[in-house]
Amino acid sequence: MNLPDRKRRILKAIIENYIDTAEPVGSKLLAVSFDQPISSATIRNEMSELEDMGLLEKPHISAGRIPSYQAYRLYVNELMDSYRVASEEIELIRAQMNAKMRELDNIMLSASKVVSHMTGHTALSMSSQSVDSVKKCELITVDDGTSYAVVLVLASSVKNRMIHLSAPVEPSTAAVITTAINLAIAENRLDYLLPSMANSMGEHSPVYDLTRQTLEFISQTAEGSRRSEVYVEGVSRLLDNREYQDTNRARALLESISDHGKLRNTLQSGAANIVNIRIGPELDDPSLHDASLMFSTYSVDRHTRGIIGIIAPTRMDYAQACAKLLGFIQAVGGSPPGPPGNITANTEDTGESDD
Amino acid sequence: MNLPDRKRRILKAIIENYIDTAEPVGSKLLAVSFDQPISSATIRNEMSELEDMGLLEKPHISAGRIPSYQAYRLYVNELMDSYRVASEEIELIRAQMNAKMRELDNIMLSASKVVSHMTGHTALSMSSQSVDSVKKCELITVDDGTSYAVVLVLASSVKNRMIHLSAPVEPSTAAVITTAINLAIAENRLDYLLPSMANSMGEHSPVYDLTRQTLEFISQTAEGSRRSEVYVEGVSRLLDNREYQDTNRARALLESISDHGKLRNTLQSGAANIVNIRIGPELDDPSLHDASLMFSTYSVDRHTRGIIGIIAPTRMDYAQACAKLLGFIQAVGGSPPGPPGNITANTEDTGESDD
DNA sequence: CTTAGCACTCGGGGTGCATGAGTGCTAAAA
DNA sequence: TTTTAGCACTCATGCACCCCGAGTGCTAAG
């Protein structure tokens, strides 16, 4: 967007003021906050024009202006200072992550806790295995054959389930089943396995039952691989924000956040390797129209990649949140702290360039 | 508690009225709601005495009375009508559970969703494996030896983790390790295994590393077996309640509910086979003093048992919630719907009998 | 023991008013 | 042409005030 320098400065000041105070900002107040002072009247004129451009809004006639959604978009794209994270802070994050990971043994959960705590916002976290196909299957005998643990090895994780049978199956038979299934996986003809067994032994034998349940688990896993769990941490922090003092709005937001299916889709829709920022109306859900989502993929090591993000009012401190997020990614990413600022916050531009 | 009949009736009416309206109930209003009418003055006298007994409280001098915590306790112990669940409703719950279980493949998560939906309150759910010791360990080769999936079979569940090594370990070697570990588990001498290996092969061999990480996982699992996950569903419903229109209270409550460690302890502290009701001050957490917890254990089949409960304001409809909970338990429990009412709602009495 | 009556309390809702932060517009200054 | 000062106007907010109604306790009569 091509905006004269003074307008940019004024708009930036308004946005940052509003982020800070959550109150409409007026011309007088703003006038004194500049280095070389401009009169409030001038600012009023500029504001009026910014309003015509769709960048500012008036809650009512005798209040100050607040930034519009477009203003936030402009802000994160062009105006925002890139905040930098002190390397001590990165060290701190690393220490916290280590502590949490000892305690919790689930990286995604730890990540959400740490990020929620350090940003003061509600954090979202999930693992970002891309389509994670089943590579191998094992059956482990429990209780001498009436129960089996099915273990599926996927490209980047392992899933298991307990299967209980009405009558025992010999471990050696289970081994045969395992071999057959693994062969079928390799040759991609799982669908033919079960019908052929049904013919040879009937549908009521425990061996058939074991195979059936195992195959069912495999297909469910394949189905569900792209629906990994979403961890939400620090929901209560949402209520700290002025905009959610109104219980109805808070309730709507909470409800949206509880819909992990939608969250997952949104989080997976981000571009890789950049900090994705979705501002209010850019999110489908209408009850998220006064909230913003900031998220990014990250990698812990070659095997584990995740998506971490925060959700907060549109009026969040984007610069700071972005910096903290990058700090987190750097801290867990194993890359050395190095000189700060070498990770840049490219933010996704969703296209619409009005004017 | 030995209370004259009329006092009981009045108290019951006050409590139920308050549960309904969330407003202090006064003498006049109450007077007209009885079958054979009593004058408001009489009710005032009775109320005054009930207040002296610690069963009623006045928010202020010119408002009606509200039940005290002791009144709620008395109510759930003695006054409450046992609501019964229609067998159609049980069928409905069963259908919902079946649908959810197909969709989610996690019983506890399904349970919390269904119960939250049917009671209209926030639901808590966890599996109630009693101490769940490691029975068996398996190592599954992935990627030709640089990664292994460790699978632990416990008494009632299976856990797994991926281990990545810097150099490959032969599958046959892994089999030897597995055997050694299983032997050590059986003989309960896991602690001696690692030091003896360190001596024979040094701490930098990949075999040592694999063993070390496997043992670490085993000890973490043993440690964490009594901390199974707590599922919380429908938090947004909390905000529907009058008492949580105040964001500060709501925030405190949300925070408490996010502390799964405490929740787990509370849920595990319940007696088996009865509906446990913990009213406000009976919960340790001060920010839960205006909330009540109702929960119970249940079993799906011989292998899976869970704890299901709800959390709501002290002013919740205990009778209805209790009935729904019992309905749920009956629906998933596999026992036939049968004549309703054969499960009784014994509620735990926490002792204190003042007066 | 119950009830009618009375005086008293106090929270909540409504009204009226002053205040102040904000705006737009116009005309003079730069 | 751009900036600034000044002025009239607009509302949201807070405060004081008052009234109403639901509720109470107490007393005296039934």
Side-chain angles (χ1 to χ4, degrees):
Chain A
M1 171 119 31
N2 223 341
L3 220 54
D5 184 58
R6 195 174 61 185
K7 276 202 181 53
R8 296 178 83 87
R9 288 211 325 273
I10 290 178
L11 182 59
K12 181 158 181 261
I14 293 175
I15 295 175
E16 289 177 350
N17 207 305
Y18 185 65
I19 284 175
D20 225 44
T21 64
E23 310 238 305
V25 11
S27 53
K28 262 185 210 152
L29 205 83
L30 205 60
V32 296
S33 75
F34 279 99
D35 307 348
Q36 68 268 57
I38 323 176
S39 97
S40 66
T42 312
I43 293 186
R44 275 205 291 284
N45 290 332
E46 296 281 39
M47 278 175 153
S48 177
E49 285 172 47
L50 285 167
E51 187 180 347
D52 292 341
M53 299 165 79
L55 291 168
L56 293 180
E57 287 166 5
K58 278 193 287 215
H60 40 255
I61 188 150
S62 75
R65 308 293 216 288
I66 59 173
S68 73
Y69 144 68
Q70 281 88 349
Y72 286 119
R73 185 71 291 175
L74 185 67
Y75 181 70
V76 299
N77 285 354
E78 303 183 21
L79 269 38
M80 179 168 81
D81 297 321
S82 70
Y83 216 107
R84 43 194 51 177
V85 226
S87 51
E88 309 93 67
E89 191 165 9
I90 292 185
E91 261 328 300
L92 189 68
I93 296 169
R94 192 169 298 172
Q96 283 182 1
M97 273 304 282
N98 284 337
K100 280 284 176 209
M101 277 165 66
R102 254 197 303 286
E103 186 187 321
L104 288 174
D105 125 51
N106 175 339
I107 299 180
M108 301 310 145
L109 187 52
S110 310
S112 65
K113 281 190 195 288
V114 167
V115 168
S116 170
H117 177 251
M118 86 189 182
T119 61
H121 290 130
T122 305
L124 309 173
S125 170
M126 61 181 285
S127 77
S128 84
Q129 59 232 34
S130 43
V131 189
D132 204 7
S133 62
V134 176
K135 289 171 68 178
K136 196 171 178 179
C137 166
E138 290 283 339
L139 290 171
I140 301 175
T141 321
V142 188
D143 287 341
D144 295 324
T146 52
S147 297
Y148 274 84
V150 186
V151 180
L152 303 182
V153 180
L154 310 188
S156 67
S157 65
V158 188
K159 304 267 175 191
N160 58 254
R161 179 183 288 182
M162 205 68 143
I163 289 179
H164 304 292
L165 304 171
S166 48
V169 168
E170 280 290 307
S172 57
T173 316
V176 175
I177 298 176
T178 311
T179 313
I181 290 179
N182 278 321
L183 206 62
I185 289 175
E187 298 179 358
N188 199 18
R189 50 168 182 74
L190 277 173
D191 294 342
Y192 304 104
L193 200 56
L194 206 56
S196 69
M197 279 185 76
N199 286 337
S200 66
M201 63 177 54
E203 301 200 352
H204 293 293
S205 95
V207 178
Y208 177 83
D209 195 35
L210 177 59
T211 314
R212 185 186 55 77
Q213 289 199 53
T214 306
L215 290 175
E216 205 169 82
F217 182 38
I218 291 177
S219 72
Q220 278 178 13
T221 303
E223 170 68 22
S225 81
R226 59 185 67 77
R227 327 200 224 144
S228 56
E229 202 166 347
V230 180
Y231 297 91
V232 179
E233 187 64 39
V235 266
S236 64
R237 293 185 206 273
L238 279 173
L239 295 182
D240 292 342
N241 294 299
R242 184 77 79 88
E243 22 276 283
Y244 299 115
Q245 292 307 99
D246 173 14
T247 331
N248 291 323
R249 287 170 97 181
R251 194 196 185 292
L253 183 61
L254 270 187
E255 220 163 315
S256 294
I257 286 181
S258 304
D259 185 347
H260 290 195
K262 253 190 200 156
L263 280 188
R264 182 167 34 233
N265 289 339
T266 311
L267 291 176
Q268 283 174 336
S269 72
N273 299 322
I274 62 166
V275 175
N276 294 272
I277 301 181
R278 297 283 150 80
I279 301 171
E282 293 166 7
L283 295 158
D284 301 331
D285 193 332
S287 58
L288 294 179
H289 276 10
D290 56 358
S292 286
L293 195 59
M294 181 183 287
F295 62 100
S296 178
T297 54
Y298 66 97
S299 53
V300 180
D301 55 44
R302 221 172 51 260
H303 305 281
T304 21
R305 295 181 55 75
I307 301 177
I308 182 78
I310 58 170
I311 187 160
T314 30
R315 186 191 56 79
M316 70 193 268
D317 187 339
Y318 293 91
Q320 197 195 342
C322 185
K324 301 243 173 179
L325 216 51
L326 288 169
F328 170 83
I329 293 167
Q330 204 175 327
V332 298
S335 60
N342 49 4
I343 299 183
T344 47
N346 296 315
T347 53
E348 182 224 34
D349 190 333
T350 42
E352 54 196 281
S353 59
D354 37 10
D355 189 330
Chain B
M1 169 118 33
N2 223 340
L3 218 55
D5 184 58
R6 195 174 61 187
K7 276 202 179 55
R8 294 177 86 86
R9 286 209 329 272
I10 291 178
L11 182 59
K12 182 158 181 263
I14 292 176
I15 294 175
E16 289 178 349
N17 207 305
Y18 185 65
I19 284 176
D20 227 42
T21 64
E23 310 238 305
V25 12
S27 52
K28 260 183 212 153
L29 203 84
L30 206 57
V32 296
S33 75
F34 279 100
D35 306 348
Q36 69 266 61
I38 323 175
S39 94
S40 66
T42 312
I43 293 188
R44 275 205 290 284
N45 290 334
E46 296 282 38
M47 278 176 151
S48 175
E49 285 171 50
L50 284 168
E51 188 179 348
D52 292 341
M53 299 165 80
L55 291 168
L56 293 180
E57 287 166 6
K58 280 194 285 218
H60 17 259
I61 189 151
S62 75
R65 308 291 217 289
I66 60 172
S68 72
Y69 143 69
Q70 280 88 350
Y72 286 118
R73 184 78 275 178
L74 185 67
Y75 181 71
V76 299
N77 285 354
E78 304 182 21
L79 269 38
M80 179 168 81
D81 297 322
S82 69
Y83 216 109
R84 46 194 51 176
V85 226
S87 51
E88 309 92 69
E89 191 164 11
I90 292 186
E91 261 330 299
L92 189 68
I93 297 169
R94 191 169 298 170
Q96 283 183 1
M97 272 305 282
N98 283 337
K100 280 284 175 209
M101 276 165 67
R102 252 197 305 286
E103 185 185 323
L104 287 174
D105 127 52
N106 175 338
I107 299 180
M108 302 309 147
L109 187 51
S110 311
S112 64
K113 281 191 196 285
V114 168
V115 167
S116 170
H117 178 253
M118 84 189 184
T119 61
H121 291 130
T122 305
L124 309 173
S125 168
M126 61 182 285
S127 77
S128 83
Q129 59 232 33
S130 43
V131 190
D132 205 8
S133 62
V134 176
K135 288 171 68 178
K136 198 169 178 181
C137 166
E138 289 284 338
L139 289 171
I140 300 176
T141 321
V142 187
D143 287 340
D144 296 324
T146 51
S147 296
Y148 274 84
V150 187
V151 179
L152 303 182
V153 179
L154 311 188
S156 66
S157 65
V158 188
K159 304 268 175 192
N160 57 253
R161 178 183 287 183
M162 204 70 142
I163 289 179
H164 303 292
L165 304 171
S166 48
V169 168
E170 280 290 307
S172 58
T173 317
V176 176
I177 297 177
T178 311
T179 314
I181 289 179
N182 278 321
L183 208 62
I185 289 174
E187 299 178 357
N188 198 18
R189 50 170 182 72
L190 277 172
D191 295 343
Y192 305 103
L193 200 57
L194 205 56
S196 70
M197 279 185 74
N199 286 337
S200 66
M201 64 176 53
E203 302 202 351
H204 294 293
S205 95
V207 179
Y208 176 83
D209 195 34
L210 177 59
T211 315
R212 184 185 58 75
Q213 289 198 53
T214 306
L215 291 174
E216 206 169 81
F217 181 37
I218 291 177
S219 71
Q220 279 178 11
T221 304
E223 169 68 22
S225 80
R226 59 185 68 76
R227 331 200 222 142
S228 57
E229 203 165 345
V230 180
Y231 297 90
V232 179
E233 188 63 38
V235 267
S236 64
R237 295 186 205 271
L238 279 173
L239 295 182
D240 292 341
N241 294 300
R242 186 77 80 87
E243 22 278 284
Y244 299 115
Q245 291 307 99
D246 173 14
T247 331
N248 290 323
R249 287 170 97 180
R251 193 197 187 291
L253 183 61
L254 269 188
E255 219 163 318
S256 295
I257 286 180
S258 304
D259 184 348
H260 290 193
K262 252 190 199 157
L263 279 188
R264 184 166 33 234
N265 288 340
T266 311
L267 290 176
Q268 283 176 335
S269 72
N273 298 323
I274 62 166
V275 175
N276 295 271
I277 301 181
R278 296 283 150 76
I279 300 170
E282 294 166 6
L283 295 158
D284 301 332
D285 192 331
S287 59
L288 294 179
H289 276 11
D290 57 359
S292 285
L293 195 60
M294 181 184 286
F295 62 101
S296 176
T297 55
Y298 66 97
S299 52
V300 180
D301 55 42
R302 221 173 51 259
H303 304 280
T304 21
R305 295 180 55 74
I307 301 177
I308 182 78
I310 59 169
I311 187 159
T314 29
R315 187 190 57 78
M316 70 193 266
D317 187 340
Y318 293 92
Q320 197 195 343
C322 186
K324 301 245 172 177
L325 215 52
L326 288 169
F328 170 83
I329 293 168
Q330 205 176 325
V332 297
S335 60
N342 50 2
I343 299 182
T344 48
N346 297 314
T347 53
E348 180 223 36
D349 190 335
T350 42
E352 55 194 279
S353 59
D354 39 7
D355 186 335

